[in-house]
């Protein structure tokens, strides 16, 4: 058992993560708390390292934040890596994320068009003068009393784009402490019948921010690809609790 960011997590079997594989591509459903790329020499396990053990020429074509779960595309050869990278760079990849946000928000294809400046060291800010163009569409999928399940469709691919764009709408992602999002505790939503054993400290239902890369569509070499990744256990558990106690 290895501890990642204070969370006990087993190093997954790479083959168990694969949802599609052909001669050129591997697509996985990345678990949370696993970095897409190596963060430093000799550091923690990453998708890239696991992929290279599985297929020596593997290259990760894009990246997800460490805590974000969901679809990640891996090329099995340099030519496929080049083709997929071009699709991402030219913004021809359709990306759909699902997020659970604080508050009830009615987003009907809301476009947030606020430039993002990368400050380095994994920090970004909204900067209309110096930031790079960043666009995200938001659509509410499911309403609860105190939370909303939202579809997020980023057009551009800036660091923390979905997270900071939601924060500008006073709709921080649950558990995203960097952008003032708070975790959800069962005692908050289950008002009756909640008990905690003596000496026990309550843990949040989800120990990360609630963001999942749910769907990808793109085309390479005249072949159209469509992928969907089911929610991981923690995201599904939080939704189930909201349906039961916050509906």
């Amino acid at each position: 058992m290895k501890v990642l960011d204070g969370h006990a997590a087993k190093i997954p079997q790479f083959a168990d993560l694969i949802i599609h594989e052909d001669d050129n591509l591997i697509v996985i459903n990345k678990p949370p708390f696993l970095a897409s790329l190596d963060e430093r020499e000799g550091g923690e396990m990453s998708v890239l390292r696991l992929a290279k053990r599985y297929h020596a020429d593997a290259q990760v074509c894009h990246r997800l934040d460490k805590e974000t779960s969901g679809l990640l595309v891996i090329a099995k050869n340099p030519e496929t890596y080049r083709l997929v990278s071009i699709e991402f760079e030219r913004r021809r990849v359709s990306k759909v994320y699902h997020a659970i946000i604080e508050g009830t928000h009615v987003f009907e294809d809301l476009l947030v068009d606020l430039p993002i400046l990368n400050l380095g060291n994994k920090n970004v800010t909204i900067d209309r003068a110096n930031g790079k163009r960043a666009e995200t569409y938001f659509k509410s999928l499911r309403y609860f009393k105190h939370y909303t399940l939202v579809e997020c469709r980023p057009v551009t691919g800036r660091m923390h784009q979905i997270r900071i764009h939601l924060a500008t709408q006073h709709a921080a992602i649950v558990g995203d402490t960097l952008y003032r999002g708070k975790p959800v505790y069962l005692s908050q939503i289950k008002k009756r019948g909640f008990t905690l054993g003596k000496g026990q400290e309550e843990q949040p239902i989800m120990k990360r921010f609630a963001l999942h890369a749910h769907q990808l569509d793109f085309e390479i070499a005249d072949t159209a690809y469509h992928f969907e990744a089911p929610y991981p256990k923690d995201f599904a558990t939080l939704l189930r609790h909201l349906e039961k106690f916050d509906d």
Side-chain angles (χ1 to χ4, degrees):
M1 184 79 77
K2 184 173 173 112
V3 173
L4 303 179
D5 282 1
H7 302 277
K10 288 180 180 173
I11 303 282
Q13 292 292 321
F14 186 77
D16 294 341
L17 308 180
I18 295 172
I19 61 172
H20 170 85
E21 182 176 6
D22 58 32
D23 291 343
N24 298 309
L25 284 177
I26 303 168
V27 180
I28 67 165
N29 188 356
K30 184 186 91 64
F33 308 116
L34 182 65
S36 300
L37 304 174
D38 286 352
E39 295 182 316
R40 59 187 177 275
E41 283 299 314
E44 294 165 352
M45 187 54 69
S46 66
V47 170
L48 180 61
R49 276 197 227 179
L50 288 172
K52 281 189 173 296
R53 287 181 186 176
Y54 182 83
H55 184 86
D57 292 331
Q59 287 293 338
V60 175
C61 298
H62 57 117
R63 65 175 70 185
L64 296 175
D65 287 341
K66 193 170 181 177
E67 287 187 39
T68 304
S69 56
L71 291 165
L72 203 57
V73 180
I74 298 158
K76 293 172 88 170
N77 53 66
E79 176 61 10
T80 302
Y81 177 74
R82 187 182 72 83
L83 291 172
V84 175
S85 297
I86 287 169
E87 293 305 296
F88 274 97
E89 282 166 21
R90 294 184 180 168
R91 297 171 189 146
R92 292 198 293 244
V93 179
S94 170
K95 299 169 281 187
V96 175
Y97 291 71
H98 285 185
I100 301 169
I101 59 174
E102 297 178 359
T104 301
H105 298 270
V106 181
F107 296 147
E108 294 176 350
D109 280 329
L110 168 74
L111 171 62
V112 177
D113 182 3
L114 293 170
I116 292 173
L117 179 65
N118 191 334
L119 301 171
N121 202 26
K122 297 190 177 176
N123 288 306
V124 303
T125 189
I126 300 295
D127 189 324
R128 287 178 169 83
N130 304 305
K132 290 187 174 179
R133 188 170 75 89
E135 297 179 1
T136 319
Y137 286 90
F138 296 103
K139 181 181 174 184
S140 301
L141 298 177
R142 178 83 197 266
Y143 302 102
F144 303 99
K145 278 181 190 162
H146 303 97
Y147 302 94
T148 310
L149 175 66
V150 176
E151 177 186 277
C152 319
R153 300 194 314 279
V155 178
T156 48
R158 309 293 173 209
M159 180 182 282
H160 294 190
Q161 179 174 316
I162 291 170
R163 298 163 62 189
I164 197 168
H165 273 178
L166 279 168
T168 67
Q169 305 305 303
H170 307 288
I173 298 174
V174 160
D176 195 357
T177 53
L178 187 62
Y179 296 102
R180 298 185 178 176
K182 300 178 194 69
V184 182
Y185 293 89
L186 189 55
S187 59
Q188 281 175 263
I189 56 174
K190 188 182 180 185
K191 302 296 185 189
R192 293 180 191 160
F194 178 82
T195 53
L196 202 58
K198 192 177 178 183
Q200 284 187 310
E201 188 180 341
E202 188 182 4
Q203 297 296 313
I205 298 170
M206 197 169 176
K207 294 187 172 114
R208 63 174 176 113
F209 53 78
L211 182 63
H212 176 71
H214 182 60
Q215 189 175 310
L216 277 178
D217 290 270
F218 59 91
E219 190 174 306
I220 53 169
D222 295 325
T223 302
Y225 292 94
H226 169 81
F227 303 110
E228 288 187 25
Y231 297 145
K233 187 176 178 182
D234 60 354
F235 197 103
T237 298
L238 177 55
L239 267 184
R240 195 166 63 248
H241 279 80
L242 293 178
E243 285 165 0
K244 190 170 181 182
F245 300 115
D246 197 52
D247 217 0

